[in-house]
């Protein structure tokens, strides 16, 4: 198959490219090496793929690249919560605008193949909660007064009682609570709109949970928390753990995430819809910080700070991906985090083209 991978020089995209190339596919990568994530051409680019160092928002990007493409694996996006709301226009431009331009050019070529979209668990907002009296409930955004007082757990919107967090299935309602989350949901909607107007096309939205592993970017405002903690330990400082460290997430290894993409692209029949891509084994943020701690390093510093766009608990049900996509995580969280503690992070091997 001839496959276009957008963002294929990035953390997750580069692993997707590796696995597609190893499957003897003709892989073309479009990546603009966003300075927020790349100092130059990164280590890990695969010699078996063809790279186009250009922006998916530029119409000239698509000249010749989309000819005879069988599938598109759309990884390109600005990730993380960013610095503050001043990042909003850049998130919308890169994530929503970039997706819209890509889809426009697929439309012009009457593309009717598979689209695999890198989505995110952030579209759910808060996870799934149950009240002993009122059953399944959806708590509203956490109040600043509560967060300032160290009351981090969401409460029942009807009676104020403590809630029990449960695994999130794909039909859990979406409620994006920051700019990045809003743009990821918009990407899903744009791809779904394309498929509705192009019979024969399909879209698989892979809602990644907390991805970690080799080639994560180093400590930037846009890096994942695992990378930020790793960088702190390497600098000889204690990683700062927000809230009380009890936030629960599902950490999934990048090799598994890449494999989910390959399955979505190459399975005999397309798996349409949204899928949680997760390990199915939740851990707290403090658990993860301790798992990454080298011998002799300082203990994590639980600082009690918070970010308003953050949520308390979200961890996933893996069952739909297993039954419809044929995907189950193969790398268990504990061994994966031990390996990641010394795995190479992203580095540049050549200047920006």
């Amino acid at each position: 198959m001839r496959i276009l991978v957008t963002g294929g020089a990035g953390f997750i995209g580069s692993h997707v490219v590796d696995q597609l190339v190893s499957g003897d596919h003709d892989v073309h990568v479009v990546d603009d090496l966003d300075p927020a994530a790349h100092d130059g051409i990164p280590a890990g680019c695969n010699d078996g793929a063809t790279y186009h160092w250009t922006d998916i928002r530029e119409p000239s990007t698509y000249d010749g690249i989309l000819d005879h493409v069988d599938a598109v694996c759309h990884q390109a996006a600005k990730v993380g919560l960013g610095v503050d709301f001043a990042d909003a226009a850049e998130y919308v431009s890169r994530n929503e605008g970039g997706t819209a331009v890509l889809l426009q050019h697929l439309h012009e070529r009457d593309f009717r193949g598979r689209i695999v979209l890198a989505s995110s668990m952030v579209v759910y907002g808060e996870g799934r909660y149950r009240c002993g009296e009122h059953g399944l409930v959806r708590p509203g955004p956490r109040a600043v007064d509560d967060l300032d007082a160290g009351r981090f757990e969401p409460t029942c919107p009807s009676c104020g009682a403590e809630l029990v967090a449960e695994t999130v299935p794909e039909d859990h309602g979406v409620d994006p609570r920051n700019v990045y989350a809003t743009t990821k949901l918009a990407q899903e909607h744009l791809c779904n709109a394309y498929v509705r107007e192009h019979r024969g096309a399909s879209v698989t939205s892979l809602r990644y949970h907390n991805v970690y592993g080799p080639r994560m970017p180093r400590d930037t405002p846009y890096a994942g928390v695992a990378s930020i903690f790793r960088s702190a330990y390497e600098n000889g400082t204690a990683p700062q753990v927000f809230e009380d460290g009890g936030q629960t997430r599902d950490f999934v290894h990048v090799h598994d995430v890449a494999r989910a993409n390959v399955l979505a692209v190459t399975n005999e029949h397309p798996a349409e819809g949204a899928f949680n891509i997760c390990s199915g084994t939740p851990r707290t943020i403090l658990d993860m910080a301790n798992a990454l701690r080298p011998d002799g390093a300082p203990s994590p510093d639980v600082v009690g700070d918070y970010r308003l766009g953050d949520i308390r608990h979200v961890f996933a049900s893996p069952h739909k991906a297993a039954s419809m996509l044929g995907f189950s995580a193969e790398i268990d969280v504990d061994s994966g985090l031990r390996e990641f503690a010394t795995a190479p992070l992203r580095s540049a091997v050549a200047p920006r083209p």
Side-chain angles (χ1 to χ4, degrees):
M1 296 174 66
R2 179 168 178 155
I3 302 165
L4 171 65
V5 182
T6 69
F11 165 43
I12 298 172
S14 65
H15 289 277
V16 174
V17 169
D18 284 348
Q19 293 190 23
L20 288 172
V21 169
S22 70
D24 293 327
H25 297 287
D26 178 16
V27 181
H28 288 255
V29 172
V30 171
D31 200 303
D32 72 343
L33 301 176
D34 178 7
H38 296 278
D39 294 328
I41 296 178
C45 290
N46 194 301
D47 292 340
T50 302
Y51 289 83
H52 309 267
W53 303 117
T54 183
D55 193 324
I56 63 169
R57 294 171 293 181
E58 290 295 329
S60 60
T61 291
Y62 302 96
D63 294 343
I65 293 178
L66 292 179
D67 295 343
H68 312 297
V69 162
D70 299 298
V72 176
C73 193
H74 184 27
Q75 306 293 315
K78 191 175 186 69
V79 301
L81 289 183
V83 178
D84 56 32
F85 200 82
D87 284 334
E90 184 72 3
Y91 273 98
V92 171
S93 175
R94 286 187 172 274
N95 298 357
E96 298 181 39
T99 301
V101 173
L102 169 64
L103 294 173
Q104 175 186 332
H105 284 271
L106 291 175
H107 167 72
E108 290 174 356
R109 289 156 179 81
D110 196 30
F111 174 80
R112 295 176 184 267
R114 298 188 193 186
I115 300 169
V116 179
L117 172 67
S119 187
S120 172
M121 58 84 178
V122 295
V123 302
Y124 296 122
E126 279 289 352
R128 184 179 176 99
Y129 294 91
R130 187 175 297 275
C131 172
E133 180 178 352
H134 296 98
L136 288 177
V137 297
R138 179 174 284 275
R142 295 181 293 174
V144 171
D145 288 346
D146 286 338
L147 295 171
D148 285 341
R151 296 187 294 268
F152 301 119
E153 294 290 344
T155 56
C156 177
S158 297
C159 66
E162 292 185 5
L163 300 174
V164 176
E166 298 183 348
T167 57
V168 176
E170 287 82 355
D171 60 1
H172 183 71
V174 291
D175 183 20
R177 296 194 173 184
N178 55 61
V179 172
Y180 170 61
T182 301
T183 63
K184 296 309 289 184
L185 184 57
Q187 286 183 303
E188 288 193 21
H189 288 322
L190 285 166
C191 291
N192 291 337
Y194 180 90
V195 167
R196 281 193 292 270
E197 295 192 21
H198 298 78
R199 180 176 296 177
S202 66
V203 59
T204 304
S205 295
L206 303 180
R207 291 176 176 169
Y208 302 160
H209 284 252
N210 288 66
V211 187
Y212 70 95
R215 302 181 197 158
M216 282 193 85
R218 292 185 180 274
D219 188 8
T220 81
Y222 308 93
V225 65
S227 175
I228 292 172
F229 289 175
R230 265 281 311 269
S231 296
Y233 284 131
E234 289 178 355
N235 292 332
T237 60
Q240 292 195 336
V241 177
F242 278 19
E243 301 185 16
D244 59 1
Q247 312 94 303
T248 314
R249 299 291 187 270
D250 187 304
F251 297 97
V252 58
H253 198 280
V254 67
H255 290 167
D256 281 325
V257 174
R259 188 166 53 83
N261 278 272
V262 173
L263 288 169
V265 169
T266 62
N267 276 351
E268 181 179 359
H269 301 292
E272 299 191 62
F275 297 85
N276 288 322
I277 303 302
C278 60
S279 69
T281 309
R283 292 287 188 272
T284 68
I285 298 294
L286 185 57
D287 287 339
M288 190 264 288
N290 282 317
L292 295 176
R293 181 187 174 196
D295 291 341
S299 298
D301 184 9
V302 180
V303 296
D305 290 345
Y306 61 86
R307 296 186 297 186
L308 281 176
D310 275 348
I311 49 88
R312 181 64 177 175
H313 303 295
V314 59
F315 49 96
S317 168
H319 300 305
K320 183 181 176 184
S323 63
M324 293 183 62
L325 193 60
F327 169 78
S328 295
E330 295 178 345
I331 300 176
D332 74 89
V333 178
D334 297 320
S335 62
L337 287 173
R338 284 195 299 270
E339 176 260 345
F340 177 63
T342 56
L345 299 180
R346 179 178 296 159
S347 59
V349 295
R352 189 176 306 279

